[in-house]
Amino acid sequence: MKLSKDLHIIYSLAILEAILLIIGSGAKYMDEIDTLSYMDAWESFSNGTIDLLRTPVYPTIVGILKDLCGIPACYWITVFIQHLVFLFSIGAFYNIISNFVKSERISFWITLFYATFPAYTFNNNWILTQSFAISGCVFLIYTIVKLRKNPTIANGTLFTSLLLFLLFLRPGYLYLLPVLAVSWFLCFLGKERKAATIGIAGVLIT
């Protein structure tokens, strides 16, 4: 996909900030209780037992990297991956905004804010779930917009997969199920029946 001039500027600034954050700050909260608990959860999952305190997505990512690369390399690689995923989410975010805002200038500034605002970007240096949670929500909303425009099984599968990912990343996202179910039902009443049917099926499967 060819990037617009606006996205070139946004990505240039976002990549520069990511490099500065990685070099200047590195991995944060490596000794924090939550971070260490992900390692404990991975050990439990590896031994075939269930960790009642942690859902499997983040412990699996960090744990596999730890087994492959050791500590602290796994933390640095996790930070790099989180920054990379966040950078990919910028394009999705711009697409979302462009679908609701006609002005390219407004879309530019809103996306630039998302791409460079420290409250978002600093999360990418934390060995915590916040980074994937933010990026994942952007991808989920992007997929919903895409599904409404093009209600195919492929888009429905992507929607369901992202929803499952978020639920197994942070159990607090359970609230998404009733919110999305009601939203798809309203779409069904609004005659977006094919997209709504696929969306409701995705929520039910989840």
Side-chain angles (χ1 to χ4, degrees):
M1 182 182 70
K2 187 177 180 180
L3 295 179
S4 67
K5 181 180 177 181
D6 285 349
L7 273 178
H8 272 297
I9 296 171
I10 293 168
Y11 267 115
S12 297
L13 293 173
I15 291 170
L16 177 61
E17 183 175 5
I19 292 171
L20 292 174
L21 283 172
I22 292 172
I23 294 174
S25 298
K28 293 292 186 182
Y29 301 108
M30 290 185 290
D31 298 322
E32 211 263 354
I33 292 175
D34 281 345
T35 301
L36 297 176
S37 72
Y38 298 130
M39 294 301 185
D40 294 337
W42 170 244
E43 294 300 325
S44 298
F45 299 146
S46 299
N47 295 325
T49 57
I50 297 174
D51 190 303
L52 297 176
L53 298 178
R54 292 291 171 201
T55 46
V57 169
Y58 202 75
T60 300
I61 294 170
V62 180
I64 289 176
L65 289 174
K66 185 199 75 170
D67 290 348
L68 291 174
C69 309
I71 296 176
C74 67
Y75 293 136
W76 284 90
I77 296 171
T78 300
V79 165
F80 176 79
I81 292 172
Q82 289 177 168
H83 275 284
L84 190 62
V85 172
F86 180 78
L87 289 173
F88 277 114
S89 78
I90 293 171
F93 186 90
Y94 182 82
N95 187 280
I96 294 167
I97 299 301
S98 297
N99 272 278
F100 295 100
V101 178
K102 292 183 179 180
S103 170
E104 291 185 1
R105 180 172 294 183
I106 294 175
S107 296
F108 169 81
W109 286 109
I110 293 175
T111 305
L112 181 64
F113 178 83
Y114 167 76
T116 60
F117 187 53
Y120 299 144
T121 56
F122 268 73
N123 285 315
N124 300 325
N125 279 58
W126 298 354
I127 310 300
L128 299 169
T129 60
Q130 280 86 337
S131 176
F132 286 144
I134 293 171
S135 300
C137 279
V138 171
F139 287 125
L140 182 67
I141 296 169
Y142 171 76
T143 305
I144 292 170
V145 172
K146 192 174 179 182
L147 178 57
R148 291 183 65 187
K149 283 187 168 185
N150 186 20
T152 63
I153 297 300
N155 286 334
T157 302
L158 183 58
F159 163 73
T160 305
S161 300
L162 283 169
L163 186 55
L164 278 169
F165 173 84
L166 288 173
L167 291 177
F168 282 104
L169 177 71
R170 292 173 71 98
Y173 277 137
L174 280 171
Y175 76 88
L176 288 173
L177 295 178
V179 170
L180 288 170
V182 171
S183 299
W184 284 124
F185 179 71
L186 293 175
C187 287
F188 186 87
L189 296 179
K191 298 183 180 180
E192 294 183 35
R193 295 190 174 181
K194 187 175 181 180
T197 300
I198 295 173
I200 291 170
V203 172
L204 292 176
I205 290 170
T206 306

